[in-house]
Each structure stands twice: as structure tokens, then as C-alpha cells.
Amino acid sequence: MMKPFTALCAAVIVLSELSAAPSAPVQVAPGIIPQPVSMQVAAGQPGFAMGEGIRVHYSVSRSEAGRAAIRALQAAGVSVLPEENVSELSVEQVRQDNKEWYAVSVTPEGIVLRVAGPQGLYYAAQTLAQSIVKDEAGQPAIPSMQVEDAPLLPYRGLMLDPCRHPQTVDETCKMLRIMARYKLNRLHWHLADDQGWRIEIKKYPRLTEVGARRDETPTLANHEVGDGKPTEPFYFTQDEVRYVVAYANSLGITVIPEIEVPGHSSAAIAAYPELGNADVPGYAPKVATTWGVLPYTYAPKESTLRFLEDVFAELCALFPRAPFVHIGGDEAPRDQWQKSPYVQNFMRQHGMRYAGEVQHWFTRHMAKLMAKHDRRIVGWDEILDDGNAPADAVVMYWRSWVRPSAMRRALRAGHEVILSPDSHFYFNFSQGKLPEDPRYKPHGCQKAEQDWRHVYSYNPTPANLSAEEKSRIIGLQANCWSESIADGAKLEYQTVPRICALAEVAWRPAEQRNADEFLQRIMAQYPWFEEQAINYRREDGSPARP
Ligand code: ACM
């Protein structure tokens, strides 16, 4: 893990003691995703010959910045060779307001990276990884070029849902590598829902003993019909969580955990029935075996808060770098609260007129709890239904159909907002033409088809927002809900290349994007998709690795 960047020496420049040999002329311009803000390529000139890798003088690795650059290059798949007599890499820290800013200068003699902070090293490394092309002699080379770059939006995320169908540690890490390639920097990890609790919590072992398995699963062909097969228990141990978090960090990605409060909590309530509204008629919590919105919500009790306090304390310890912790908050039905004599009495005592105020009680308490750990909460946009949320809560906008707009409401109320509208960024939704194999049937395909062109057409900062409102749109996220995503191959099919479009929407202003030109750059990624054995969706809708 890197030390604070301020502790780094300002410049680590080692001039070549021996000159590197130039490559043959390089005619091919790299097709980088997301397109850098400024990129000048000396077409037809000799570039930097990659040879076996970038030769790096041992003195570069004497500094933290140098070591961090080497690690970032290696993580991006760029070979680095220790050298005694030659240095082809130098790293420099410069002052810039945008801490994600970086610049890359490539000449036949070597590569100079300039960064404003540690994140820039990851992006410089990925830009270089995507810039390795063939010179006229057919050898790997990076064209002579000057790149200066910084993202439009600071939060660029992908959400994975291991609750409905799990993804293994390896599948999760593969998604992290894909995210890193396109300079996404946040994995939102949806770790608890009605259909499964997926993270080991030491203080509450029944969360995984009971909550991490279910009696059956809706079939892919027909969601109304269960498969009759109990699942194996599936959850991430705390060691596995630490591994994924460290792996993400090594790629410049911060993991934001989510535990749903107060709805989507059947699995937790099945494990500890006293957490729910036990006095409602027919109370029989179990880990859900159907999709959709389930009635089980937490009961507003001090003992429930103590449970949440303990669970989120373990989360904060496992995710030390997460500035936010996601508390869910979507689709929390009010029915049980309306039927529970305990909750009705609780509401009278607290002067509450609407059951929705019970959700606010939870949201406020969660914000206070997280503040003790120096974290802010993020919640789905329902945290603003029926009342206000704490001012520093980040709102994740997803309900594109709600009027007046849930995004605008959040902005008007002064919140920072992450955009993940289901009209554009739901990667579980259909992309148009489908393969024959029923495994590829999408879930929730009632929404408009969302192929990469549709994702690419999104404008995150429409002109009718004020400058101040625009400044509170902190980023974008795509969500891969997994009701119909039962394996890694399907996850990849649903995600790639849509993730490329998402990355560029978060990086480049809408007026600078052109979908036909972008298609050329997507196709330039195919060799990398093949090399990484990614089951990407081809232009004709077919999966690359059926
Ligand atoms: C959501 O799709 N329920 C956030």
C-alpha cells in the first residue's frame, strides 16, 4: 500500500546513462479507452521499443514514487526490467488541482510519467498498457507521444451483486482487472440482500450459517419457477474480503461495501428473527427463494441498532479506505411497519405520522454510526422518499422513471449524487439481439435495450443544471444485478464492452464523444479481451466464448 503521496520525493528522474535504441517507425495510433483529454502522437516516427520490457534503473525503485510506478505498470500488464546501466523510466510529481491528473511523455529514449497524486500512476500505467502497438518491423513499441489527462468525474464505479448469484473471488478479481483497464476506480460490492448474506461477520456467525444459503433459486428460463435445489453456502470470509480489497487497491480501485438497511434484509432476519417485525401476522422469515421486493424489514429497536453498529464496525475495519459505506435503502416496503403493533406504538412515541419516517430513523442512525468511523453514507435514491436525509449523505440515483426526477430532487436538497439510472447503466438489462442459448436471457428487460451505444449516449451533466448542481454530481456507476447472471461468462457478456462506454462517459464531456469513432477503439480492445479470455459481446450480439 502506498504511503501518503506528500511523503514522496518530488522528482525521481534518472537520466539515461546509455541510450535506448529507438523502435522502427510506428504508423499505428493507439485506440485508448477512455480517450485521453489531450494526446499528440508523432505518427510515422520512431517510438519507444518495448523489447522485453521497460528497463528501469535500480535507483528509481529507491523512492516510493518509483516503486509505486513500477507496481502500477506491472499490475497493468507492462513488463518492467531492473537495469544497472540504463533507465528508460522517470517519475515526477507535479501540482495540479485534480489529484487524478497525469501526463505521459514517450520518446525513443524513454518514458516520463508526471502525476499529481498516486492515482495518476495507475492511469498512466493503463494508458501505456493500451499504447503498445507494433512498429513497422512488427516489434512491440509505444509511439512517440505526449498525453495529458484527467477524468471528468471522480467516482467511476461498477456494482457487483454476489447475493442473487455469487461471483467467486477469482471472478471478482477479473472484473477488477477489467475495471482498472478502463480507469474505473470504485467497486460497489452489494454484500447482503434478501436472497443471501455474503460476508463473514465474526460477531454474528448465523448471518452466514443461516443467511448464506437458500432452499432453491428461480430458474433462468422462468423466474416464477424454482429449481428445487438447496444452494451450497456461499460467503466471503474476512480473509477473502481483505484479499479482494488489497487486490483492488493494487489496481487503484477502492471497494465500497453495501449492507442493505432497512429493506432487502430477509437473509439477516432469517438468521436473527428478533431483528425483524416479529409481531406481524404470519411472521416466518427465511432466506428468499424468489426475486423482487420482499416484505421483511428491520424493526426500529435499540437492539437492531446495536446489531447494525457491530456489523458496520466490522465492515469499516475490513474496508479501511472506503470513504463511504453504502446502506442500501431501496425498496423498503412499509407494510410490516404498518401492521406491527410494536412499530405503531414506536411511531406514536416518536411523533411519526407515516411509516416511511421509520426508514428515516434508520438512515439518520446509520449516518451517525458511520460518522463515528469517519465515513459518510451512500444510499439509493429512496433515502429521500418521505423526508430528508442527513446533508452529507451521498445519493445514488437509479429510479429513472420517478417524477419529479429523483436526481434533481437530490441535487436540490444539496446532496452529492452518483448517477446509476436504470435507463442506461443497468448491465443486467438487455443489449438487443440475444444469443440462442437461454443462459443469455436477460432479467428486467422491460426497460429500453441498453447496448453500448445507448450507454455511450448518456450525458451526466445536462445543460439545465446549475454549475453548482453539476459540481455535486460526483460520478457514475453501472450495476450488474445478478438474478439472471449465474456465472462469470454471463457477467462478462453483460459487462463488456458496455463498461468501456461507461468509462468514457465518466471521463469525456458528451460533446467530445462520437459513437462511430468509439467503435473503432472498442475493436482495438478485442485482442486484449481475447488475451484475457473475456466472454465479451461482439457487435452482432454473439458471445466471444460461448
Ligand atoms: C435497485 O435497483 N433496487 C437499486
PDB file of all heavy atoms in Angstrom, residues 375-406:
ATOM      1  N   ARG A 375     -16.790   7.952   8.212  1.00  0.00           N
ATOM      2  CA  ARG A 375     -17.293   7.600   6.870  1.00  0.00           C
ATOM      3  C   ARG A 375     -18.610   8.320   6.651  1.00  0.00           C
ATOM      4  O   ARG A 375     -19.345   8.601   7.590  1.00  0.00           O
ATOM      5  CB  ARG A 375     -17.561   6.094   6.718  1.00  0.00           C
ATOM      6  CG  ARG A 375     -16.538   5.172   7.313  1.00  0.00           C
ATOM      7  CD  ARG A 375     -15.181   5.287   6.660  1.00  0.00           C
ATOM      8  NE  ARG A 375     -14.236   4.486   7.417  1.00  0.00           N
ATOM      9  CZ  ARG A 375     -13.829   3.272   7.049  1.00  0.00           C
ATOM     10  NH1 ARG A 375     -14.242   2.743   5.929  1.00  0.00           N
ATOM     11  NH2 ARG A 375     -12.976   2.609   7.811  1.00  0.00           N
ATOM     12  N   ARG A 376     -18.894   8.521   5.371  1.00  0.00           N
ATOM     13  CA  ARG A 376     -20.217   9.033   5.004  1.00  0.00           C
ATOM     14  C   ARG A 376     -21.050   7.867   4.489  1.00  0.00           C
ATOM     15  O   ARG A 376     -20.501   6.861   4.051  1.00  0.00           O
ATOM     16  CB  ARG A 376     -20.075  10.081   3.899  1.00  0.00           C
ATOM     17  CG  ARG A 376     -19.390  11.338   4.408  1.00  0.00           C
ATOM     18  CD  ARG A 376     -18.922  12.180   3.248  1.00  0.00           C
ATOM     19  NE  ARG A 376     -20.038  12.685   2.465  1.00  0.00           N
ATOM     20  CZ  ARG A 376     -19.884  13.281   1.281  1.00  0.00           C
ATOM     21  NH1 ARG A 376     -18.688  13.406   0.742  1.00  0.00           N
ATOM     22  NH2 ARG A 376     -20.934  13.733   0.620  1.00  0.00           N
ATOM     23  N   ILE A 377     -22.380   8.050   4.549  1.00  0.00           N
ATOM     24  CA  ILE A 377     -23.231   7.008   3.966  1.00  0.00           C
ATOM     25  C   ILE A 377     -23.544   7.340   2.504  1.00  0.00           C
ATOM     26  O   ILE A 377     -23.606   8.504   2.120  1.00  0.00           O
ATOM     27  CB  ILE A 377     -24.548   6.811   4.748  1.00  0.00           C
ATOM     28  CG1 ILE A 377     -25.346   8.119   4.845  1.00  0.00           C
ATOM     29  CG2 ILE A 377     -24.292   6.210   6.114  1.00  0.00           C
ATOM     30  CD1 ILE A 377     -26.797   7.911   5.280  1.00  0.00           C
ATOM     31  N   VAL A 378     -23.730   6.280   1.730  1.00  0.00           N
ATOM     32  CA  VAL A 378     -24.358   6.394   0.407  1.00  0.00           C
ATOM     33  C   VAL A 378     -25.637   5.599   0.507  1.00  0.00           C
ATOM     34  O   VAL A 378     -25.661   4.532   1.148  1.00  0.00           O
ATOM     35  CB  VAL A 378     -23.543   5.706  -0.717  1.00  0.00           C
ATOM     36  CG1 VAL A 378     -24.110   6.081  -2.080  1.00  0.00           C
ATOM     37  CG2 VAL A 378     -22.095   5.986  -0.643  1.00  0.00           C
ATOM     38  N   GLY A 379     -26.700   6.095  -0.098  1.00  0.00           N
ATOM     39  CA  GLY A 379     -27.936   5.326  -0.133  1.00  0.00           C
ATOM     40  C   GLY A 379     -28.577   5.447  -1.496  1.00  0.00           C
ATOM     41  O   GLY A 379     -28.379   6.439  -2.210  1.00  0.00           O
ATOM     42  N   TRP A 380     -29.354   4.427  -1.876  1.00  0.00           N
ATOM     43  CA  TRP A 380     -30.165   4.521  -3.107  1.00  0.00           C
ATOM     44  C   TRP A 380     -31.141   5.684  -2.951  1.00  0.00           C
ATOM     45  O   TRP A 380     -31.428   6.121  -1.829  1.00  0.00           O
ATOM     46  CB  TRP A 380     -30.913   3.209  -3.339  1.00  0.00           C
ATOM     47  CG  TRP A 380     -30.008   2.011  -3.537  1.00  0.00           C
ATOM     48  CD1 TRP A 380     -29.820   0.994  -2.662  1.00  0.00           C
ATOM     49  CD2 TRP A 380     -29.192   1.721  -4.676  1.00  0.00           C
ATOM     50  NE1 TRP A 380     -28.929   0.074  -3.180  1.00  0.00           N
ATOM     51  CE2 TRP A 380     -28.525   0.496  -4.420  1.00  0.00           C
ATOM     52  CE3 TRP A 380     -28.941   2.368  -5.890  1.00  0.00           C
ATOM     53  CZ2 TRP A 380     -27.635  -0.092  -5.316  1.00  0.00           C
ATOM     54  CZ3 TRP A 380     -28.057   1.771  -6.792  1.00  0.00           C
ATOM     55  CH2 TRP A 380     -27.423   0.565  -6.512  1.00  0.00           C
ATOM     56  N   ASP A 381     -31.675   6.181  -4.069  1.00  0.00           N
ATOM     57  CA  ASP A 381     -32.388   7.466  -4.009  1.00  0.00           C
ATOM     58  C   ASP A 381     -33.653   7.430  -3.145  1.00  0.00           C
ATOM     59  O   ASP A 381     -34.169   8.492  -2.755  1.00  0.00           O
ATOM     60  CB  ASP A 381     -32.647   8.055  -5.407  1.00  0.00           C
ATOM     61  CG  ASP A 381     -33.439   7.167  -6.339  1.00  0.00           C
ATOM     62  OD1 ASP A 381     -34.490   6.669  -5.920  1.00  0.00           O
ATOM     63  OD2 ASP A 381     -33.024   7.001  -7.505  1.00  0.00           O
ATOM     64  N   GLU A 382     -34.132   6.246  -2.765  1.00  0.00           N
ATOM     65  CA  GLU A 382     -35.294   6.183  -1.854  1.00  0.00           C
ATOM     66  C   GLU A 382     -34.996   6.796  -0.491  1.00  0.00           C
ATOM     67  O   GLU A 382     -35.930   7.044   0.278  1.00  0.00           O
ATOM     68  CB  GLU A 382     -35.739   4.737  -1.633  1.00  0.00           C
ATOM     69  CG  GLU A 382     -36.479   4.120  -2.785  1.00  0.00           C
ATOM     70  CD  GLU A 382     -35.573   3.315  -3.690  1.00  0.00           C
ATOM     71  OE1 GLU A 382     -34.394   3.692  -3.862  1.00  0.00           O
ATOM     72  OE2 GLU A 382     -36.053   2.312  -4.245  1.00  0.00           O
ATOM     73  N   ILE A 383     -33.727   7.014  -0.147  1.00  0.00           N
ATOM     74  CA  ILE A 383     -33.462   7.608   1.175  1.00  0.00           C
ATOM     75  C   ILE A 383     -34.024   9.028   1.262  1.00  0.00           C
ATOM     76  O   ILE A 383     -34.067   9.598   2.333  1.00  0.00           O
ATOM     77  CB  ILE A 383     -31.965   7.579   1.596  1.00  0.00           C
ATOM     78  CG1 ILE A 383     -31.094   8.430   0.681  1.00  0.00           C
ATOM     79  CG2 ILE A 383     -31.462   6.148   1.712  1.00  0.00           C
ATOM     80  CD1 ILE A 383     -29.676   8.638   1.201  1.00  0.00           C
ATOM     81  N   LEU A 384     -34.478   9.572   0.104  1.00  0.00           N
ATOM     82  CA  LEU A 384     -35.115  10.894   0.143  1.00  0.00           C
ATOM     83  C   LEU A 384     -36.641  10.812   0.061  1.00  0.00           C
ATOM     84  O   LEU A 384     -37.316  11.838   0.092  1.00  0.00           O
ATOM     85  CB  LEU A 384     -34.598  11.774  -0.998  1.00  0.00           C
ATOM     86  CG  LEU A 384     -33.097  12.056  -0.989  1.00  0.00           C
ATOM     87  CD1 LEU A 384     -32.744  13.023  -2.102  1.00  0.00           C
ATOM     88  CD2 LEU A 384     -32.650  12.623   0.343  1.00  0.00           C
ATOM     89  N   ASP A 385     -37.191   9.594  -0.039  1.00  0.00           N
ATOM     90  CA  ASP A 385     -38.660   9.484  -0.064  1.00  0.00           C
ATOM     91  C   ASP A 385     -39.188   9.776   1.334  1.00  0.00           C
ATOM     92  O   ASP A 385     -38.564   9.386   2.328  1.00  0.00           O
ATOM     93  CB  ASP A 385     -39.091   8.068  -0.464  1.00  0.00           C
ATOM     94  CG  ASP A 385     -38.888   7.813  -1.960  1.00  0.00           C
ATOM     95  OD1 ASP A 385     -38.496   8.748  -2.683  1.00  0.00           O
ATOM     96  OD2 ASP A 385     -39.095   6.658  -2.390  1.00  0.00           O
ATOM     97  N   ASP A 386     -40.311  10.417   1.416  1.00  0.00           N
ATOM     98  CA  ASP A 386     -40.992  10.669   2.700  1.00  0.00           C
ATOM     99  C   ASP A 386     -40.148  11.467   3.689  1.00  0.00           C
ATOM    100  O   ASP A 386     -40.305  11.310   4.895  1.00  0.00           O
ATOM    101  CB  ASP A 386     -41.397   9.344   3.383  1.00  0.00           C
ATOM    102  CG  ASP A 386     -42.311   8.500   2.506  1.00  0.00           C
ATOM    103  OD1 ASP A 386     -43.113   9.095   1.758  1.00  0.00           O
ATOM    104  OD2 ASP A 386     -42.202   7.265   2.557  1.00  0.00           O
ATOM    105  N   GLY A 387     -39.197  12.275   3.215  1.00  0.00           N
ATOM    106  CA  GLY A 387     -38.444  13.095   4.172  1.00  0.00           C
ATOM    107  C   GLY A 387     -37.038  13.386   3.691  1.00  0.00           C
ATOM    108  O   GLY A 387     -36.677  13.076   2.564  1.00  0.00           O
ATOM    109  N   ASN A 388     -36.266  13.993   4.582  1.00  0.00           N
ATOM    110  CA  ASN A 388     -34.900  14.387   4.228  1.00  0.00           C
ATOM    111  C   ASN A 388     -33.900  13.347   4.728  1.00  0.00           C
ATOM    112  O   ASN A 388     -34.175  12.606   5.660  1.00  0.00           O
ATOM    113  CB  ASN A 388     -34.556  15.730   4.869  1.00  0.00           C
ATOM    114  CG  ASN A 388     -35.502  16.807   4.393  1.00  0.00           C
ATOM    115  OD1 ASN A 388     -35.872  16.821   3.217  1.00  0.00           O
ATOM    116  ND2 ASN A 388     -35.921  17.672   5.291  1.00  0.00           N
ATOM    117  N   ALA A 389     -32.730  13.372   4.104  1.00  0.00           N
ATOM    118  CA  ALA A 389     -31.624  12.535   4.597  1.00  0.00           C
ATOM    119  C   ALA A 389     -30.557  13.485   5.148  1.00  0.00           C
ATOM    120  O   ALA A 389     -30.540  14.672   4.797  1.00  0.00           O
ATOM    121  CB  ALA A 389     -31.065  11.702   3.461  1.00  0.00           C
ATOM    122  N   PRO A 390     -29.662  12.992   6.019  1.00  0.00           N
ATOM    123  CA  PRO A 390     -28.597  13.857   6.517  1.00  0.00           C
ATOM    124  C   PRO A 390     -27.852  14.521   5.358  1.00  0.00           C
ATOM    125  O   PRO A 390     -27.650  13.904   4.307  1.00  0.00           O
ATOM    126  CB  PRO A 390     -27.688  12.897   7.285  1.00  0.00           C
ATOM    127  CG  PRO A 390     -28.597  11.770   7.680  1.00  0.00           C
ATOM    128  CD  PRO A 390     -29.591  11.640   6.566  1.00  0.00           C
ATOM    129  N   ALA A 391     -27.455  15.793   5.565  1.00  0.00           N
ATOM    130  CA  ALA A 391     -26.951  16.609   4.456  1.00  0.00           C
ATOM    131  C   ALA A 391     -25.751  15.985   3.752  1.00  0.00           C
ATOM    132  O   ALA A 391     -25.594  16.137   2.542  1.00  0.00           O
ATOM    133  CB  ALA A 391     -26.578  17.995   4.989  1.00  0.00           C
ATOM    134  N   ASP A 392     -24.904  15.279   4.494  1.00  0.00           N
ATOM    135  CA  ASP A 392     -23.696  14.767   3.821  1.00  0.00           C
ATOM    136  C   ASP A 392     -23.894  13.359   3.236  1.00  0.00           C
ATOM    137  O   ASP A 392     -22.938  12.765   2.737  1.00  0.00           O
ATOM    138  CB  ASP A 392     -22.484  14.816   4.758  1.00  0.00           C
ATOM    139  CG  ASP A 392     -22.570  13.770   5.852  1.00  0.00           C
ATOM    140  OD1 ASP A 392     -23.690  13.239   6.093  1.00  0.00           O
ATOM    141  OD2 ASP A 392     -21.528  13.471   6.467  1.00  0.00           O
ATOM    142  N   ALA A 393     -25.134  12.845   3.258  1.00  0.00           N
ATOM    143  CA  ALA A 393     -25.379  11.536   2.637  1.00  0.00           C
ATOM    144  C   ALA A 393     -25.238  11.675   1.119  1.00  0.00           C
ATOM    145  O   ALA A 393     -25.730  12.633   0.519  1.00  0.00           O
ATOM    146  CB  ALA A 393     -26.780  11.043   2.981  1.00  0.00           C
ATOM    147  N   VAL A 394     -24.559  10.717   0.515  1.00  0.00           N
ATOM    148  CA  VAL A 394     -24.445  10.687  -0.943  1.00  0.00           C
ATOM    149  C   VAL A 394     -25.641   9.897  -1.472  1.00  0.00           C
ATOM    150  O   VAL A 394     -25.984   8.841  -0.922  1.00  0.00           O
ATOM    151  CB  VAL A 394     -23.132  10.006  -1.383  1.00  0.00           C
ATOM    152  CG1 VAL A 394     -23.042   9.928  -2.900  1.00  0.00           C
ATOM    153  CG2 VAL A 394     -21.934  10.745  -0.807  1.00  0.00           C
ATOM    154  N   VAL A 395     -26.273  10.417  -2.513  1.00  0.00           N
ATOM    155  CA  VAL A 395     -27.469   9.752  -3.056  1.00  0.00           C
ATOM    156  C   VAL A 395     -27.103   9.053  -4.363  1.00  0.00           C
ATOM    157  O   VAL A 395     -26.511   9.663  -5.259  1.00  0.00           O
ATOM    158  CB  VAL A 395     -28.605  10.780  -3.281  1.00  0.00           C
ATOM    159  CG1 VAL A 395     -29.805  10.121  -3.958  1.00  0.00           C
ATOM    160  CG2 VAL A 395     -29.009  11.406  -1.948  1.00  0.00           C
ATOM    161  N   MET A 396     -27.434   7.766  -4.428  1.00  0.00           N
ATOM    162  CA  MET A 396     -27.191   7.007  -5.649  1.00  0.00           C
ATOM    163  C   MET A 396     -28.500   6.960  -6.421  1.00  0.00           C
ATOM    164  O   MET A 396     -29.463   6.290  -6.016  1.00  0.00           O
ATOM    165  CB  MET A 396     -26.677   5.617  -5.291  1.00  0.00           C
ATOM    166  CG  MET A 396     -26.064   4.889  -6.441  1.00  0.00           C
ATOM    167  SD  MET A 396     -25.143   3.441  -5.873  1.00  0.00           S
ATOM    168  CE  MET A 396     -23.470   4.063  -5.799  1.00  0.00           C
ATOM    169  N   TYR A 397     -28.515   7.700  -7.508  1.00  0.00           N
ATOM    170  CA  TYR A 397     -29.735   7.848  -8.312  1.00  0.00           C
ATOM    171  C   TYR A 397     -29.895   6.640  -9.226  1.00  0.00           C
ATOM    172  O   TYR A 397     -29.002   6.330  -9.998  1.00  0.00           O
ATOM    173  CB  TYR A 397     -29.617   9.131  -9.126  1.00  0.00           C
ATOM    174  CG  TYR A 397     -30.542   9.259 -10.301  1.00  0.00           C
ATOM    175  CD1 TYR A 397     -31.915   9.282 -10.128  1.00  0.00           C
ATOM    176  CD2 TYR A 397     -30.033   9.381 -11.595  1.00  0.00           C
ATOM    177  CE1 TYR A 397     -32.770   9.408 -11.223  1.00  0.00           C
ATOM    178  CE2 TYR A 397     -30.873   9.516 -12.695  1.00  0.00           C
ATOM    179  CZ  TYR A 397     -32.237   9.523 -12.494  1.00  0.00           C
ATOM    180  OH  TYR A 397     -33.065   9.653 -13.573  1.00  0.00           O
ATOM    181  N   TRP A 398     -31.054   5.960  -9.104  1.00  0.00           N
ATOM    182  CA  TRP A 398     -31.280   4.813 -10.006  1.00  0.00           C
ATOM    183  C   TRP A 398     -32.658   4.814 -10.640  1.00  0.00           C
ATOM    184  O   TRP A 398     -32.835   4.334 -11.749  1.00  0.00           O
ATOM    185  CB  TRP A 398     -31.034   3.488  -9.261  1.00  0.00           C
ATOM    186  CG  TRP A 398     -32.121   3.062  -8.301  1.00  0.00           C
ATOM    187  CD1 TRP A 398     -32.291   3.516  -7.028  1.00  0.00           C
ATOM    188  CD2 TRP A 398     -33.170   2.104  -8.530  1.00  0.00           C
ATOM    189  NE1 TRP A 398     -33.371   2.904  -6.442  1.00  0.00           N
ATOM    190  CE2 TRP A 398     -33.932   2.020  -7.334  1.00  0.00           C
ATOM    191  CE3 TRP A 398     -33.527   1.306  -9.612  1.00  0.00           C
ATOM    192  CZ2 TRP A 398     -35.038   1.175  -7.207  1.00  0.00           C
ATOM    193  CZ3 TRP A 398     -34.633   0.452  -9.488  1.00  0.00           C
ATOM    194  CH2 TRP A 398     -35.368   0.398  -8.293  1.00  0.00           C
ATOM    195  N   ARG A 399     -33.672   5.413  -9.959  1.00  0.00           N
ATOM    196  CA  ARG A 399     -35.053   5.300 -10.465  1.00  0.00           C
ATOM    197  C   ARG A 399     -35.296   6.359 -11.533  1.00  0.00           C
ATOM    198  O   ARG A 399     -35.746   7.474 -11.246  1.00  0.00           O
ATOM    199  CB  ARG A 399     -36.046   5.452  -9.318  1.00  0.00           C
ATOM    200  CG  ARG A 399     -36.035   4.280  -8.348  1.00  0.00           C
ATOM    201  CD  ARG A 399     -36.989   4.510  -7.197  1.00  0.00           C
ATOM    202  NE  ARG A 399     -36.687   5.730  -6.468  1.00  0.00           N
ATOM    203  CZ  ARG A 399     -37.465   6.268  -5.539  1.00  0.00           C
ATOM    204  NH1 ARG A 399     -38.623   5.707  -5.234  1.00  0.00           N
ATOM    205  NH2 ARG A 399     -37.108   7.370  -4.912  1.00  0.00           N
ATOM    206  N   SER A 400     -35.009   5.992 -12.767  1.00  0.00           N
ATOM    207  CA  SER A 400     -35.099   6.974 -13.851  1.00  0.00           C
ATOM    208  C   SER A 400     -36.538   7.375 -14.134  1.00  0.00           C
ATOM    209  O   SER A 400     -36.788   8.408 -14.739  1.00  0.00           O
ATOM    210  CB  SER A 400     -34.478   6.387 -15.109  1.00  0.00           C
ATOM    211  OG  SER A 400     -35.206   5.246 -15.508  1.00  0.00           O
ATOM    212  N   TRP A 401     -37.479   6.525 -13.691  1.00  0.00           N
ATOM    213  CA  TRP A 401     -38.881   6.754 -14.082  1.00  0.00           C
ATOM    214  C   TRP A 401     -39.631   7.648 -13.086  1.00  0.00           C
ATOM    215  O   TRP A 401     -40.728   8.101 -13.376  1.00  0.00           O
ATOM    216  CB  TRP A 401     -39.594   5.406 -14.224  1.00  0.00           C
ATOM    217  CG  TRP A 401     -39.862   4.729 -12.899  1.00  0.00           C
ATOM    218  CD1 TRP A 401     -40.997   4.835 -12.155  1.00  0.00           C
ATOM    219  CD2 TRP A 401     -38.973   3.902 -12.153  1.00  0.00           C
ATOM    220  NE1 TRP A 401     -40.866   4.109 -10.998  1.00  0.00           N
ATOM    221  CE2 TRP A 401     -39.640   3.521 -10.971  1.00  0.00           C
ATOM    222  CE3 TRP A 401     -37.673   3.431 -12.362  1.00  0.00           C
ATOM    223  CZ2 TRP A 401     -39.049   2.709 -10.005  1.00  0.00           C
ATOM    224  CZ3 TRP A 401     -37.096   2.619 -11.408  1.00  0.00           C
ATOM    225  CH2 TRP A 401     -37.777   2.257 -10.243  1.00  0.00           C
ATOM    226  N   VAL A 402     -39.083   7.903 -11.933  1.00  0.00           N
ATOM    227  CA  VAL A 402     -39.800   8.657 -10.902  1.00  0.00           C
ATOM    228  C   VAL A 402     -39.870  10.133 -11.292  1.00  0.00           C
ATOM    229  O   VAL A 402     -38.878  10.706 -11.723  1.00  0.00           O
ATOM    230  CB  VAL A 402     -39.080   8.491  -9.541  1.00  0.00           C
ATOM    231  CG1 VAL A 402     -39.636   9.441  -8.498  1.00  0.00           C
ATOM    232  CG2 VAL A 402     -39.202   7.054  -9.064  1.00  0.00           C
ATOM    233  N   ARG A 403     -41.042  10.720 -11.155  1.00  0.00           N
ATOM    234  CA  ARG A 403     -41.226  12.152 -11.427  1.00  0.00           C
ATOM    235  C   ARG A 403     -41.805  12.817 -10.191  1.00  0.00           C
ATOM    236  O   ARG A 403     -42.714  12.240  -9.581  1.00  0.00           O
ATOM    237  CB  ARG A 403     -42.150  12.361 -12.634  1.00  0.00           C
ATOM    238  CG  ARG A 403     -41.542  11.898 -13.940  1.00  0.00           C
ATOM    239  CD  ARG A 403     -40.416  12.847 -14.403  1.00  0.00           C
ATOM    240  NE  ARG A 403     -39.708  12.301 -15.558  1.00  0.00           N
ATOM    241  CZ  ARG A 403     -38.628  11.533 -15.513  1.00  0.00           C
ATOM    242  NH1 ARG A 403     -38.077  11.232 -14.351  1.00  0.00           N
ATOM    243  NH2 ARG A 403     -38.057  11.067 -16.595  1.00  0.00           N
ATOM    244  N   PRO A 404     -41.355  14.002  -9.754  1.00  0.00           N
ATOM    245  CA  PRO A 404     -40.219  14.719 -10.339  1.00  0.00           C
ATOM    246  C   PRO A 404     -38.933  13.933 -10.133  1.00  0.00           C
ATOM    247  O   PRO A 404     -38.834  13.109  -9.244  1.00  0.00           O
ATOM    248  CB  PRO A 404     -40.185  16.050  -9.579  1.00  0.00           C
ATOM    249  CG  PRO A 404     -40.932  15.799  -8.313  1.00  0.00           C
ATOM    250  CD  PRO A 404     -41.923  14.719  -8.590  1.00  0.00           C
ATOM    251  N   SER A 405     -37.941  14.252 -10.979  1.00  0.00           N
ATOM    252  CA  SER A 405     -36.729  13.446 -11.073  1.00  0.00           C
ATOM    253  C   SER A 405     -36.038  13.275  -9.724  1.00  0.00           C
ATOM    254  O   SER A 405     -35.774  14.251  -9.005  1.00  0.00           O
ATOM    255  CB  SER A 405     -35.778  14.121 -12.057  1.00  0.00           C
ATOM    256  OG  SER A 405     -34.455  13.772 -11.767  1.00  0.00           O
ATOM    257  N   ALA A 406     -35.753  12.011  -9.400  1.00  0.00           N
ATOM    258  CA  ALA A 406     -35.073  11.709  -8.135  1.00  0.00           C
ATOM    259  C   ALA A 406     -33.674  12.323  -8.123  1.00  0.00           C
ATOM    260  O   ALA A 406     -33.162  12.706  -7.067  1.00  0.00           O
ATOM    261  CB  ALA A 406     -35.003  10.196  -7.948  1.00  0.00           C
TER     262      ALA A 406
END
